[in-house]
Amino acid sequence: MDSVTVSIESLQEFQVQEVSLDGQETYTKPLSMSESLAKLAHKIDFTKPEGEEIDGALADEDKDTKKADVKEESPAVQAVQWPWESVHSKLRCALTEISVLSDILHICRWAKDPRYMVLDPVSQEPTQSKQIIQLLDKKKSLGVAASVLKSGANRMMRQPLNATTASPQKSQHQNDFHADLLRLRQHWRLKKVGSNILGDLSFRTAGSRFWHNGTFEVTKITDVDCDATEKKNVTPLKVTIPSDIEGTSHIQVLIQEGEAEIATASLSQPSRSRVSADAHWQERLEAAQTVLFCKEVFAQIAREAVQLRSPVPHIVVGNQIFCTLFPGVRLCLALCHNTSMDSQVGTQSYRTGLKCRYHLGYQSTSSFDFRLGIEPLRQPNHSHALEHSLHQLLRELHRSNLSGTTPRPITASLTVSKKRRLAGPQAISRKELTDSQQGECLLEKVLKQAKHIVLRKRVADVINQLSSDLQDPVILVHWSAHTQPLVSTAKIHISTSGYEQMAMILLQLTVEVDQIRVLCKDGRVIHANYEQQQLKDLLRCQISQHQIACVFSLSKSMNMHVLHYNLHLGVGSASKLGNASSVLISTHHGQRTLAVRSDPLNGIRVQVKGCKNPHDTEQKSNVVTDPKWETIMTDYREVDMDRIPGRTFVNKMELLMAVLAS
Amino acid sequence: MTSSLPGVNLSNLASSSVPSLQEFVLQGSVVDSACDALLHRLRALCDNVDRAPETFQDHEMVYLLRTSGPGNPVVLRARHARDQHNMPWNYSYFCFDLNAPSFFRQLRYLGQSDISDKSRLVTVRSYLDCSTSEQLPQFLTDIGFRLDHEFVAKGHMFRKGKMKVTITKIFKILTPGNLEALEPLSISQLVELSIIAPSGTDGIGEDMRAFAEQLRPLVSMEKI
């Protein structure tokens, strides 16, 4: 098939202008380009706004043609001289209007002299909204809200009716979760982040600046098995605690004496309390908070232990810190964390630290016999006081972080202390200011308390041992009931039983952190340090002087003459400890003399002069018959105090004096 | 700490051992009737929830020294707390008047706010203060300062970390010298968030803005 050629040509349809008599049609010429442009431009009405031009083109065309006809008809005078005439005139009108506006604006706004024209805002009348419409609007929106609430309430009310039919546990489950959540919110701070409910275990709001944020998550247990719900204590609320603060923990403080090695200190002993994973969320959360607190305490102490400079440096090993209190006495602090969830004795537990066991091991003469470090089954005597004070100190630190003194006047700086603010006007010296600013850190405070505890125990031990060894002067000690963490006081009475009126030693002991202050009756103040021997020596000296003082006052009541009384004797062999004291007494008839010398270490020696030795046979002379001549040349003879009957030394002395005086 | 007097260049101070402090400020105001709601909200947001908010009553006197030559006059503020009773350190009386006001005054200099950084969220101005004895007004007058105006400020203070939030009602003193006849200046109270920190500390503006957002519908805090 051949392709068919199709030719396209425009219709030659032009408007017929006239038909001549001979049938010839005269067509109107088609408009040339410029003519058609003129025609279109003529159609643009510059007085109308643009939007109205777009719609209804046909209607506009009709209107335009009508207007064109009207314009052509009425002002016959205005002959269309050139096709652009109307456009030109319209533009000219527009230009006139614009220039008028511009002139007005110039005169109003930018003229130097505002006398001629001023722009003022026109107050608009407030639009009065019809109140009835507003009322109807509100009624409609409230109706919509009410319908939503009502449908929800109906659904909830219908639920108990469905209890017998579908998933009874589920609805109860639902109620339990929200009720539990309410109870949880009463104890802990919760917040909703996205779709999760998070809680806060940390002490941030109390002033802590620990790095751990302590957030726990609260979720709902979605799958409900029938077996689980039969138990009464199952709640659909599940609390997820971060693994590093789960379980229980406590700080153990151990004061060790002797040469125990570090290795033996880390005994595996179960922690005090245990919380299983099935416990109620309140228990678990409280335990976790304690764990966090203990962690913070330990971190603070460890940091200070590393930074502090002390004569014997502190050792920090893993979860243990060793500090030297006195030579031979060591304080061990440890963080014991038990994460095991089963009830067995810590087989799977993650055990770390030291215990706070207050444990003393005398090696030499002691009635207590501990074997250092081997106490597998014995529950250690934890020093609760020290642990409690650790907790309290950290809480104080938190409080000081949080609150300071109010700046007065209120615009003063918030962060400096009141003393620093008033340092200027009060003329405080630089030294005073620096001293007051350097506070003690946590570890130093704990060390002081521990030292005090050790010292107090030592003093008590010394006195108890001495009082059990020596029965002759009775040693009584009264410890003051009011004690402070760093100072304790005690009163010591030493007296001979039966002869309390004769002489008594009163000593006031003040046990401080590093030393013991002893106040004697005569006003002397003696400082003893942590060595136990010093206190023992002091007491021994006092006792020896006491015996002599007793004899002295006894002799006065026995009507004997005191020839010599000296508490610090300068004759005879020097005593190795303190001073020897002595008293020289003679009977009222002067025939016999009693010499007593007391040495703190060597005991008491009693010698008598004027007693005839019965074994000494001398020839009696007939010339010298007065018995007094027989006693002149006698020597001092020692008395064996053991063979003299009497309960105490003073008792014996009384008997002796009575015998001599007769 | 030295106070700034005319002739002392602040840039010299910056190089010395005295740290130059800056005050970061946001201000807003709240009408008296809405003040209670704001106090409740601040009490919950700030530290020390369990304690009642601190109240204060201060009397401030603003002194001006006109420098010869161009430039703004130097402004110094002398402020003392009217409700605090400090025993003077050289107290030698056996009975002292409990109604006697505090003996110590605070001298404060606030520089012009730093407008160099337009993107900064809070107003920053240099801040210098020191504590002085009670003869401060006399001293300032002797040097050449003239009392420009004085007012009494009463209100509450809250603290959150380093930030201080004060809600102040400013009173006009009707007769100079008589501090009992007071008249409130307006029906609203001034709310101010301020932190005083060494110059160059970053991040303070963001923290303050974040806190100011929480007070949003009650009071809107802006730069000065």
Side-chain angles (χ1 to χ4, degrees):
Chain A
M1 284 289 284
D2 290 336
S3 54
V4 178
T5 46
V6 177
S7 56
I8 300 172
E9 49 195 30
S10 58
L11 287 169
Q12 298 242 343
E13 280 195 11
F14 300 115
Q15 285 227 342
V16 176
Q17 194 174 12
E18 67 176 73
V19 179
S20 63
L21 288 165
D22 57 358
Q24 190 92 20
E25 289 171 341
T26 322
Y27 297 106
T28 56
K29 285 211 190 111
L31 296 171
S32 68
M33 287 297 286
S34 57
E35 281 176 351
S36 63
L37 182 61
K39 185 180 173 199
L40 286 172
H42 186 67
K43 280 189 185 172
I44 299 173
D45 189 1
F46 284 99
T47 58
K48 268 199 210 157
E50 203 182 285
E52 293 179 12
E53 288 269 329
I54 296 168
D55 43 74
L58 286 169
D60 277 346
E61 268 187 26
D62 289 341
K63 282 185 197 164
D64 279 344
T65 46
K66 278 180 194 166
K67 275 187 194 165
D69 295 339
V70 165
K71 276 184 188 157
E72 281 175 9
E73 283 170 12
S74 49
V77 183
Q78 281 185 1
V80 178
Q81 288 170 352
W82 49 294
W84 293 97
E85 174 73 27
S86 60
V87 178
H88 172 82
S89 60
K90 281 177 194 168
L91 283 176
R92 221 200 152 88
C93 290
L95 177 64
T96 320
E97 281 184 40
I98 294 280
S99 34
V100 165
L101 268 173
S102 160
D103 288 338
I104 290 176
L105 281 174
H106 265 284
I107 295 170
C108 294
R109 291 287 320 252
W110 295 296
K112 297 283 179 187
D113 208 348
R115 266 187 305 169
Y116 301 112
M117 207 181 287
V118 161
L119 287 174
D120 260 339
V122 175
S123 65
Q124 291 183 349
E125 284 178 15
T127 52
Q128 276 190 342
S129 56
K130 294 227 166 131
Q131 281 182 345
I132 196 96
I133 295 175
Q134 278 182 348
L135 190 67
L136 285 172
D137 214 0
K138 279 189 187 163
K139 194 172 170 185
K140 193 173 168 188
S141 39
L142 280 172
V144 169
S147 63
V148 168
L149 285 170
K150 200 163 181 184
S151 64
N154 285 339
R155 194 172 353 118
M156 280 173 58
M157 281 205 305
R158 254 184 275 127
Q159 280 203 346
L161 294 173
N162 296 344
T164 50
T165 57
S167 63
Q169 299 103 337
K170 212 168 183 184
S171 58
Q172 221 181 12
H173 200 81
Q174 202 83 3
N175 294 341
D176 278 349
F177 173 72
H178 288 291
D180 257 353
L181 193 63
L182 186 70
R183 256 175 266 136
L184 189 68
R185 283 198 74 175
Q186 284 172 349
H187 293 282
W188 303 93
R189 233 182 348 269
L190 298 175
K191 64 175 182 257
K192 200 167 168 98
V193 174
S195 61
N196 306 330
I197 302 175
L198 296 176
D200 190 12
L201 277 177
S202 73
F203 287 81
R204 289 269 164 88
T205 50
S208 158
R209 291 195 193 147
F210 196 45
W211 53 266
H212 202 286
N213 57 0
T215 47
F216 62 93
E217 199 178 331
V218 180
T219 48
K220 186 158 94 169
I221 300 178
T222 46
D223 51 351
V224 178
D225 30 320
C226 295
D227 299 331
T229 50
E230 273 167 15
K231 292 186 199 170
K232 282 191 190 159
N233 54 357
V234 159
T235 58
L237 188 128
K238 188 169 100 129
V239 172
T240 316
I241 302 175
S243 56
D244 53 350
I245 53 175
E246 222 170 350
T248 55
S249 163
H250 65 284
I251 304 260
Q252 281 200 320
V253 183
L254 169 70
I255 301 180
Q256 274 185 335
E257 212 167 312
E259 298 306 316
E261 294 160 18
I262 293 178
T264 57
S266 61
L267 276 182
S268 48
Q269 292 255 350
S271 141
R272 279 201 296 246
S273 59
R274 211 166 295 107
V275 159
S276 71
D278 298 328
H280 193 249
W281 40 259
Q282 180 67 13
E283 278 176 37
R284 286 172 56 214
L285 286 172
E286 281 178 358
Q289 196 172 48
T290 318
V291 171
L292 192 59
F293 191 75
C294 291
K295 263 180 160 2
E296 187 177 353
V297 168
F298 194 79
Q300 177 80 13
I301 297 179
R303 195 182 11 213
E304 286 165 4
V306 171
Q307 284 173 352
L308 269 185
R309 277 184 293 150
S310 70
V312 178
H314 309 300
I315 305 171
V316 179
V317 176
N319 286 34
Q320 307 172 13
I321 300 174
F322 297 93
C323 311
T324 310
L325 297 173
F326 299 121
V329 182
R330 196 171 59 182
L331 178 73
C332 315
L333 293 144
L335 181 64
C336 275
H337 187 187
N338 194 344
T339 55
S340 75
M341 292 303 153
D342 52 7
S343 55
Q344 284 180 0
V345 180
T347 46
Q348 297 159 14
S349 68
Y350 154 57
R351 240 172 254 109
T352 47
L354 311 165
K355 294 178 205 349
C356 197
R357 196 172 31 192
Y358 189 27
H359 157 102
L360 212 45
Y362 279 113
Q363 302 294 335
S364 51
T365 58
S366 162
S367 50
F368 316 110
D369 186 22
F370 285 122
R371 276 174 296 163
L372 274 171
I374 308 169
E375 292 182 32
L377 298 166
R378 207 189 130 126
Q379 195 65 22
N381 300 327
H382 182 97
S383 171
H384 290 275
L386 276 177
E387 192 193 357
H388 181 71
S389 72
L390 265 177
H391 283 236
Q392 272 193 322
L393 286 170
L394 190 67
R395 285 292 302 125
E396 257 193 58
L397 194 67
H398 288 171
R399 237 172 284 142
S400 69
N401 281 343
L402 200 55
S403 61
T405 52
T406 327
R408 297 268 176 206
I410 215 73
T411 47
S413 180
L414 196 64
T415 43
V416 295
S417 66
K418 186 172 179 184
K419 191 158 188 187
R420 176 105 188 273
R421 269 182 233 136
L422 300 177
Q426 283 183 340
I428 294 177
S429 70
R430 186 196 166 94
K431 184 175 179 304
E432 272 181 65
L433 209 56
T434 48
D435 285 346
S436 68
Q437 283 198 333
Q438 270 177 351
E440 276 179 348
C441 61
L442 205 72
L443 187 62
E444 278 179 342
K445 289 185 189 160
V446 171
L447 285 177
K448 278 192 172 177
Q449 288 182 11
K451 278 186 182 177
H452 176 69
I453 288 177
V454 170
L455 212 56
R456 195 174 60 199
K457 185 93 170 47
R458 281 188 167 180
V459 166
D461 288 343
V462 161
I463 297 171
N464 290 342
Q465 193 200 359
L466 214 55
S467 66
S468 60
D469 286 347
L470 293 172
Q471 262 84 41
D472 190 350
V474 171
I475 304 176
L476 289 172
V477 61
H478 299 284
W479 286 92
S480 161
H482 298 283
T483 54
Q484 296 169 18
L486 298 177
V487 175
S488 307
T489 50
K491 257 194 152 79
I492 300 179
H493 296 254
I494 304 178
S495 58
T496 314
S497 61
Y499 297 91
E500 285 85 0
Q501 308 302 329
M502 299 291 152
M504 184 164 65
I505 296 183
L506 276 171
L507 294 173
Q508 165 109 10
L509 288 183
T510 309
V511 182
E512 291 161 1
V513 174
D514 282 323
Q515 63 175 7
I516 307 157
R517 208 153 28 106
V518 182
L519 182 67
C520 306
K521 200 161 71 165
D522 51 359
R524 278 182 302 159
V525 177
I526 302 166
H527 295 272
N529 69 359
Y530 57 86
E531 297 277 343
Q532 284 175 325
Q533 195 58 34
Q534 281 196 3
L535 188 64
K536 219 186 270 190
D537 294 344
L538 174 69
L539 287 174
R540 273 195 219 276
C541 290
Q542 292 283 318
I543 287 167
S544 83
Q545 285 178 359
H546 163 76
Q547 305 283 39
I548 299 295
C550 261
V551 170
F552 171 70
S553 51
L554 183 69
S555 63
K556 282 197 277 199
S557 52
M558 301 277 288
N559 196 19
M560 312 267 271
H561 297 296
V562 175
L563 300 174
H564 172 90
Y565 170 51
N566 197 347
L567 283 175
H568 304 281
L569 200 58
V571 297
S573 58
S575 159
K576 290 201 182 60
L577 177 72
N579 284 322
S581 35
S582 85
V583 64
L584 212 61
I585 307 167
S586 92
T587 52
H588 63 94
H589 46 68
Q591 285 181 351
R592 297 196 180 93
T593 321
L594 184 63
V596 186
R597 182 190 155 107
S598 165
D599 190 294
L601 282 180
N602 299 336
I604 306 178
R605 288 178 59 193
V606 181
Q607 287 174 329
V608 174
K609 178 179 170 183
C611 294
K612 227 169 43 169
N613 194 345
H615 305 295
D616 200 13
T617 50
E618 270 185 15
Q619 283 198 341
K620 278 201 188 166
S621 151
N622 292 333
V623 180
V624 180
T625 50
D626 202 342
K628 73 177 177 207
W629 301 109
E630 292 176 5
T631 59
I632 288 176
M633 295 302 291
T634 52
D635 288 330
Y636 275 100
R637 290 167 58 205
E638 180 136 8
V639 174
D640 189 358
M641 294 305 292
D642 295 333
R643 288 167 64 179
I644 296 185
R647 286 192 325 267
T648 61
F649 168 72
V650 184
N651 195 267
K652 292 179 187 180
M653 289 307 296
E654 189 183 8
L655 204 63
L656 189 61
M657 280 192 232
V659 163
L660 289 175
S662 61
Chain B
M1 285 202 169
T2 59
S3 66
S4 167
L5 293 174
V8 176
N9 202 352
L10 277 179
S11 57
N12 288 347
L13 273 178
S15 58
S16 71
S17 59
V18 175
S20 60
L21 297 175
Q22 278 181 329
E23 193 185 17
F24 298 78
V25 174
L26 275 177
Q27 281 183 346
S29 77
V30 64
V31 191
D32 276 345
S33 48
C35 185
D36 275 342
L38 182 63
L39 282 175
H40 279 302
R41 187 179 283 210
L42 278 172
R43 193 171 165 180
L45 286 172
C46 299
D47 295 341
N48 295 333
V49 184
D50 46 350
R51 277 189 249 164
E54 307 262 0
T55 54
F56 65 91
Q57 209 183 29
D58 288 348
H59 171 217
E60 180 157 331
M61 298 185 273
V62 181
Y63 286 86
L64 274 185
L65 180 75
R66 295 194 185 278
T67 51
S68 55
N72 298 331
V74 180
V75 178
L76 281 182
R77 295 163 187 269
R79 191 165 178 140
H80 80 284
R82 286 191 63 210
D83 53 352
Q84 275 304 96
H85 311 294
N86 284 333
M87 277 215 296
W89 61 273
N90 52 358
Y91 145 86
S92 57
Y93 308 100
F94 281 108
C95 55
F96 60 98
D97 188 10
L98 272 172
N99 294 326
S102 160
F103 284 90
F104 302 111
R105 291 172 188 260
Q106 185 211 17
L107 181 66
R108 202 162 48 123
Y109 168 76
L110 293 170
Q112 293 282 15
S113 51
D114 188 14
I115 49 171
S116 60
D117 192 359
K118 288 271 186 279
S119 66
R120 228 199 282 245
L121 303 157
V122 298
T123 313
V124 181
R125 52 192 183 189
S126 71
Y127 173 92
L128 283 172
D129 78 330
C130 77
S131 197
T132 64
S133 67
E134 51 185 344
Q135 286 105 16
L136 184 63
Q138 182 65 36
F139 175 70
L140 287 174
T141 328
D142 288 343
I143 293 182
F145 282 80
R146 292 282 162 257
L147 179 66
D148 189 47
H149 61 274
E150 57 179 350
F151 58 89
V152 168
K154 291 189 198 180
H156 302 267
M157 182 203 83
F158 298 88
R159 53 192 296 168
K160 186 165 179 71
K162 283 187 298 189
M163 189 156 48
K164 186 164 44 174
V165 186
T166 51
I167 297 155
T168 326
K169 186 138 182 77
I170 302 190
F171 290 86
K172 225 171 11 182
I173 297 175
L174 295 169
T175 48
N178 180 16
L179 287 178
E180 299 307 319
L182 300 171
E183 187 202 315
L185 197 62
S186 67
I187 55 161
S188 56
Q189 308 207 1
L190 174 71
V191 182
E192 206 169 30
L193 247 67
S194 77
I195 295 183
I196 298 171
S199 58
T201 323
D202 303 323
I204 291 189
E206 285 81 27
D207 296 336
M208 287 179 76
R209 265 290 158 196
F211 187 78
E213 288 302 312
Q214 298 187 352
L215 302 175
R216 223 347 77 152
L218 289 172
V219 55
S220 71
M221 315 287 294
E222 307 291 338
K223 286 166 65 161
I224 301 176

